[in-house]
Structure formats: structure tokens, C-alpha cells
Amino acid sequence: MHFVEAKGLLTGGKGHCGMNLYRGCTHGCVYCDSRSACYRFTHPFEDVEVKVNAPELLERALRSKRQRCMIGTGSMSDPYMHCEEELRLTRRCLEIILNHGFGAAIQTKSDRILRDIDLLEEINRSAKCVVQMTLTTYDDDLCRILEPNVCNTKRRIEVLEAMRARGIPTVVWLTPILPFINDTVENVAAILNECARVGVAGVIDFGMGMTLREGDREYYYAALDRHFPGMKARYARRYGNAYELPSPNAGALKRVFREICEAHGMLATPEECFRFMDALPERQTQLSMFDL
């Protein structure tokens, strides 16, 4: 872990702004796209870069914004990595979001988010908060291989259940689906049925497959050699150096996905989910005695 003074923090447009408080990650997920060479890391991926002045940058940015919006975090680096236990950088930024009346959309795989559930509930009450949880693999043993340094899927489902109990809406990222590994109807159906049980608002899927590019591909293939001997050759034969790797079972998986989402009223396209997450209700003002 090392510390930097960032020059800026928020990116994005009118209805949604994104921020990444950290660069790099310690979760060790074998498929992580953020390792890709296009992101130009100048330090080892596990040597997490901490934007130590992020709260000050966020305070300045939100103070100057004329229109409230949703503030998202977690798209590149999980905001609840191990270092958050000590640094509490995410919590400090959530406090600023709450103080300025903005909304929050947080994407994570970690149950450490439960430490901030009080703040998330307050943000949701005053504006809006959406918790996004990535779920890829229902089987605990396989989950430990694919996502070794973070809580398993069943624990993440407990997090979703805890959010529902507080009235905080949730969205699940069912991605990536790894060809020949977790791309079974049984796996996808088990995850989706749990999503329905705990009242998830929507599920994001990008076609039942995965992507690989330089940097990410080498790390993923090394993991295949360790845990799934012979699998790398199978990938090379079918996909070569392609960026998009759809599952051979994509058709059946998409049908199951649509059926379960429709049966339980869950949003089932990325566009629907993003519209839901970006929609910030009008600020509710308290009536004075002169308005009555």
C-alpha cells in the first residue's frame, strides 16, 4: 500500500459521477479486468494506491455542484478492500455525500460494507443509496479459487439480505461467467433464485461470458494452469486472443436468466439497471407552518 495526492476525483456527467478512492486490489480475483495493461498501472496491482486526499477533493467537488446526482464507486477498485478496515476512506467519503444530500451507488464483493450500513441507510433516507454486489459462483469451493481473498457468495447474499432489512435497494452483477468453469444452468439459476429471495431490484449481465485483454489474460491463464490443468489450451483453441469470450452455454443461460428475472419482477437488462441506479428522487423539503 502506498499513498498519493490525487489531482482530481470525480468523473462523469450530469446524472451520475464516479470516483475511485483506490487503485489496485487485494481480492485476488482470477479474472479481474482492472489488471489490463490499458489502465497503465505503474506499480504492482496488489500494492494498492490510496488517494489520501480523496475526502478533501470530494468535499470541494460536491460543494461546487449545482445539481445533486448519484456518486458511484467500485467500478475499478473495490472500496471495501482490506485496507479500508484501517483507513476508512470510503466511510469518510460517504459522510461527505450524506452531508451534501447526494446519492450513492456502491459496487463491492466484500461484507465489510456492513460496517457502514448505518450511513448507507441515512443516505438512502435523505437521497438514495444502491448497493451493488458481484455474484459469480454459488459453489463455495469454486468461489475460493476464483475470488480467493474476499467473502464467498453465500456471505454476500447475507449482505444483500441485510440491506433489504434496512430498505436499501440492491443490484447484482452476474458477471463474469467463465467458459467451462462457472457457466452452468445450475450455477446461474442458484444465484438468481437467491437474488429473488432477498429482493434484489435488478441483475446485470453482459451476455453470459467474459472478456480478456493484455495483462488480464496472462494473469487469468496462469490461474487456469494452477487450478484447471489443460483449460488454457481449451481456451486458446476456442477463442484465440479474442477480447469477448461468450460461454458455449450462453443461449441456455440467457433463457434461464430471462425466465427467473421475469418471474420475480427483477430488472434484467444493463440499461434498466443503470437507469434505476442513476434516478435520484427530488429532494423532499419539510413544509413550514406557512405552507399549511
Side-chain angles (χ1 to χ4, degrees), residues 174-187:
L174 184 62
T175 181
I177 297 299
L178 311 179
F180 316 120
I181 295 176
N182 66 345
D183 60 339
T184 66
V185 168
E186 292 76 16
N187 178 55

Side-chain angles (χ1 to χ4, degrees), residues 30-244:
V30 301
Y31 50 73
C32 182
D33 176 73
S34 294
R35 293 180 180 275
S36 300
C38 63
Y39 299 119
R40 300 180 181 179
F41 274 79
T42 57
H43 57 86
F45 191 72
E46 286 77 11
D47 178 17
V48 174
E49 181 178 284
V50 180
K51 297 178 184 178
V52 67
N53 61 331
E56 291 78 14
L57 292 174
L58 182 61
E59 174 71 39
R60 190 183 313 152
L62 297 192
R63 194 187 305 132
S64 64
K65 268 191 170 293
R66 294 186 177 182
Q67 185 174 351
R68 295 183 313 144
C69 65
M70 296 293 287
I71 307 296
T73 189
S75 62
M76 286 292 295
S77 295
D78 197 305
Y80 287 101
M81 289 181 287
H82 303 80
C83 57
E84 176 64 17
E85 292 184 11
E86 174 189 350
L87 299 176
R88 300 172 73 83
L89 199 61
T90 299
R91 184 173 181 90
R92 288 162 60 196
C93 288
L94 289 174
E95 289 170 343
I96 293 166
I97 289 170
L98 173 64
N99 291 340
H100 287 276
F102 282 68
I106 305 170
Q107 185 177 352
T108 185
K109 291 187 181 87
S110 176
D111 58 353
R112 292 185 188 88
I113 193 172
L114 290 174
R115 299 176 177 213
D116 292 340
I117 198 169
D118 58 331
L119 265 178
L120 303 179
E121 186 178 18
E122 287 189 63
I123 292 171
N124 192 53
R125 190 182 300 120
S126 65
K128 182 179 180 179
C129 180
V130 181
V131 170
Q132 306 158 68
M133 190 66 72
T134 300
L135 307 178
T136 66
T137 309
Y138 194 72
D139 178 80
D140 285 348
D141 293 333
L142 182 57
C143 187
R144 276 190 287 270
I145 293 172
L146 302 182
E147 301 158 346
N149 302 327
V150 69
C151 64
N152 64 22
T153 296
K154 293 181 180 62
R155 176 57 174 159
R156 293 177 222 171
I157 291 168
E158 291 175 357
V159 172
L160 294 170
E161 203 164 17
M163 296 298 163
R164 182 183 65 172
R166 298 288 190 107
I168 300 167
T170 56
V171 167
V172 160
W173 291 69
L174 184 62
T175 181
I177 297 299
L178 311 179
F180 316 120
I181 295 176
N182 66 345
D183 60 339
T184 66
V185 168
E186 292 76 16
N187 178 55
V188 169
I191 292 173
L192 290 171
N193 284 326
E194 284 295 88
C195 289
R197 183 181 66 81
V198 300
V200 167
V203 184
I204 295 174
D205 159 60
F206 290 108
M208 295 298 171
M210 67 180 305
T211 60
L212 287 177
R213 48 188 163 189
E214 182 185 356
D216 174 22
R217 180 180 289 107
E218 290 78 5
Y219 189 84
Y220 181 63
Y221 280 175
L224 293 186
D225 284 340
R226 287 195 306 274
H227 301 291
F228 307 96
M231 186 68 77
K232 181 172 73 174
R234 193 174 180 184
Y235 270 67
R237 286 194 302 270
R238 185 174 184 96
Y239 301 109
N241 286 325
Y243 170 61
E244 295 184 355

Side-chain angles (χ1 to χ4, degrees), residues 192-193 196 200-203 254-269 272:
L192 290 171
N193 284 326
V200 167
V203 184
K254 289 177 185 177
R255 283 193 295 274
V256 169
F257 178 83
R258 286 193 298 269
E259 289 169 4
I260 296 178
C261 287
E262 288 175 6
H264 296 280
M266 296 186 291
L267 302 175
T269 68
E272 290 174 324

